[in-house]
Amino acid sequence: MSAVAWEAGKPLFVKEIEVAPPQKNEVRVKIHFTSLCHTDVYFWEAKGQNPLFPRILGHEAGGVVESVGKGVIDVQPGDHVLPIFTGECKECPHCLSEASNMCDLLRINTERGGMLHDGHTRFSKDGKPIYHFLGTSTFSKYTVVHVGQVAKINPEAPLDKVCVLSCEMSTGFGATVNVAKPKKGGFVAVFGLGAVGLAAAEGARVCEASRIIAKKFGCTEFVNLKDHNKPVQEVGFLENSIPYTLLNFEHLIAEMTGGGVDCSIECTGSTQAMVSAFECVHDGWGVAVLVGVPSRDDSFKTHPIHFLNERTLRGTFFGNYKPRSDIPGVVEKYMKKELELDKFITHSVPLLDINKAFEYMLRGEGLRCMIRMDASGTTWINSTTLFYLPFTPYVE
């Protein structure tokens, strides 16, 4: 069974399709759980890119290797894996560098509809091709993925929880712990309280930051710009409908923190938020990390004096994690209860109800909707998690 997007913006159809065997350096994975990400919705709506349909979307998932193609030695049938939208060939200069996770061979490619080996798709229906998405296409009970895009994980790890590590959780969490690297007792600001922003806040909590300016999920403060008559950089957080909150501040943050925060993480893709995130960090040592993806033609400007005053601006991709080398270790953090994941999963639906997941996201309800690959079952909402979402801003 697979959920196929036949055209832009129209409901997905769940039906039986053909999934060809894996070819050289490929694995066929039986998906057990997958979740919906904003990136899936963006490409389903065909906004800002060349539409490619019919297509099987999905890139956050957990599953078990069913079979492997020629040349595959790192995984074998029965291994538990997380398919990941970017890869690690372990041979290119980026993979050989400790400083980069931008694999030359398997870097994210949103327009590729076939497999690297031969350019052909492994999906078809009645002899007609169905295209791949990000090399993962996890809205299918079986999918074929390049071996460099699967992370072999602890078989004891619950796939319905750790699958969120294959995208949003690692992106936000890694932006904090791998790039911003706040010290114990430091001040951290997070711009954007969707799933990625809350994952960044979780990273700050794990790093034992003393002030995490946002609310809930380990945050200590939430400031609403509407409550203040000062410029964005002088106050705090501006409420926004999608996904939940846009945190904007620069100057008052300096007043609140005695000169600025030690680290900021921008997770909205708004260029205004990017400038605010950079200009709100402390001079001399402050680090701002950009995570959100802007629109294609966006740009921003800031005064060079901010750099001369020794503020640092950095970008990150997938939290600077190498998929095959690093993600198994992040799974172990969860297994050791050093990292919380359960609270990020707010809804669950069976595959037959996958369009409900799109409805939840389009309405701004919840963080992650888990899609169970069993064809039937019930829909549930994690009301305990929803209680902790930052709908009502306030300052403690």
Side-chain angles (χ1 to χ4, degrees):
M1 299 286 286
S2 301
V4 182
W6 289 96
E7 55 182 307
K10 296 300 176 70
L12 277 60
F13 286 88
V14 179
K15 55 181 61 182
E16 296 286 349
I17 67 166
E18 293 77 44
V19 183
Q23 302 301 306
K24 183 179 179 180
N25 293 326
E26 297 173 359
V27 299
R28 188 161 58 188
V29 179
K30 181 179 181 180
I31 300 296
H32 287 236
F33 299 93
T34 185
S35 56
L36 180 65
C37 173
H38 280 90
T39 302
D40 298 310
V41 175
Y42 181 81
F43 281 89
W44 167 70
E45 293 177 323
K47 292 182 176 179
Q49 19 66 31
N50 297 322
L52 184 62
F53 297 97
R55 202 172 200 181
I56 297 176
L57 301 168
H59 63 283
E60 272 189 2
V64 178
V65 175
E66 179 267 342
S67 57
V68 302
K70 183 179 179 180
V72 174
I73 58 175
D74 290 350
V75 296
Q76 59 186 3
D79 285 343
H80 287 217
V81 296
L82 301 183
I84 298 177
F85 66 92
T86 187
E88 181 185 357
C89 71
K90 296 190 175 183
E91 296 177 353
C92 73
H94 284 278
C95 288
L96 296 176
S97 168
E98 294 182 358
S100 176
N101 66 344
M102 304 286 286
C103 177
D104 287 330
L105 178 66
L106 299 169
R107 190 177 305 186
I108 183 173
N109 185 321
T110 60
E111 296 189 358
R112 183 188 299 130
M115 298 298 293
L116 275 177
H117 174 62
D118 54 13
H120 295 159
T121 177
R122 303 291 177 258
F123 302 120
S124 62
K125 177 66 176 177
D126 300 328
K128 297 181 179 180
I130 300 173
Y131 297 107
H132 294 252
F133 177 64
L134 301 182
T136 51
S137 294
T138 60
F139 292 168
S140 176
K141 190 170 184 179
Y142 288 91
T143 188
V144 177
V145 185
H146 191 285
V147 67
Q149 288 184 247
V150 292
K152 180 181 175 180
I153 64 169
N154 184 342
E156 299 299 319
L159 292 174
D160 60 333
K161 302 297 190 299
V162 299
C163 73
V164 297
L165 289 172
S166 57
C167 182
E168 59 89 9
M169 186 66 198
S170 295
T171 297
F173 185 78
T176 303
V177 301
N178 294 335
V179 187
K181 299 180 181 179
K183 295 181 180 178
K184 182 178 180 180
F187 295 173
V188 178
V190 180
F191 286 65
L193 282 183
V196 175
L198 287 170
E202 173 70 358
R205 182 192 69 81
V206 169
C207 290
E208 300 183 74
S210 64
R211 295 183 74 177
I212 309 169
I213 303 178
K215 188 59 199 171
K216 295 300 182 183
F217 284 78
C219 303
T220 61
E221 295 174 74
F222 188 107
V223 184
N224 189 352
L225 180 62
K226 294 179 180 179
D227 298 334
H228 301 270
N229 294 316
K230 297 186 178 183
V232 291
Q233 64 265 34
E234 296 187 5
V235 185
F237 296 47
L238 175 65
E239 196 171 2
N240 187 25
S241 60
I242 298 176
Y244 289 107
T245 318
L246 173 61
L247 315 183
N248 276 334
F249 50 57
E250 290 152 44
H251 289 107
L252 184 91
I253 208 74
E255 179 182 316
M256 293 172 58
T257 58
V261 291
D262 302 298
C263 310
S264 69
I265 300 94
E266 190 287 317
C267 305
T268 71
S270 160
T271 54
Q272 180 185 9
M274 292 176 183
V275 172
S276 297
F278 177 50
E279 295 182 3
C280 80
V281 299
H282 206 293
D283 58 359
W285 62 79
V287 177
V289 180
L290 305 185
V291 180
V293 180
S295 297
R296 180 178 299 178
D297 297 325
D298 279 352
S299 63
F300 66 80
K301 64 179 181 179
T302 186
H303 200 284
I305 196 66
H306 296 301
F307 293 98
L308 297 175
N309 285 339
E310 299 186 0
R311 292 177 176 89
T312 300
L313 179 63
R314 295 195 59 183
T316 182
F317 172 70
F318 192 50
N320 274 43
Y321 284 118
K322 293 179 183 289
R324 300 163 74 185
S325 300
D326 298 335
I327 294 304
V330 184
V331 170
E332 291 308 307
K333 285 184 179 292
Y334 171 76
M335 297 298 287
K336 295 176 182 177
K337 302 187 184 302
E338 298 173 2
L339 168 64
E340 297 182 28
L341 297 178
D342 301 40
K343 62 190 177 184
F344 289 87
I345 301 167
T346 53
H347 298 74
S348 176
V349 298
L351 181 63
L352 284 176
D353 290 337
I354 189 171
N355 289 302
K356 287 185 179 180
F358 282 76
E359 293 171 8
Y360 292 142
M361 184 161 288
L362 290 171
R363 293 199 301 260
E365 298 178 9
L367 291 175
R368 275 298 181 267
C369 181
M370 191 60 56
I371 300 160
R372 308 185 306 274
M373 300 309 289
D374 53 321
S376 61
T378 58
T379 297
W380 60 260
I381 299 175
N382 185 345
S383 58
T384 302
T385 297
L386 290 177
F387 174 79
Y388 284 104
L389 296 180
F391 288 112
T392 304
Y394 62 97
V395 180
E396 289 186 332

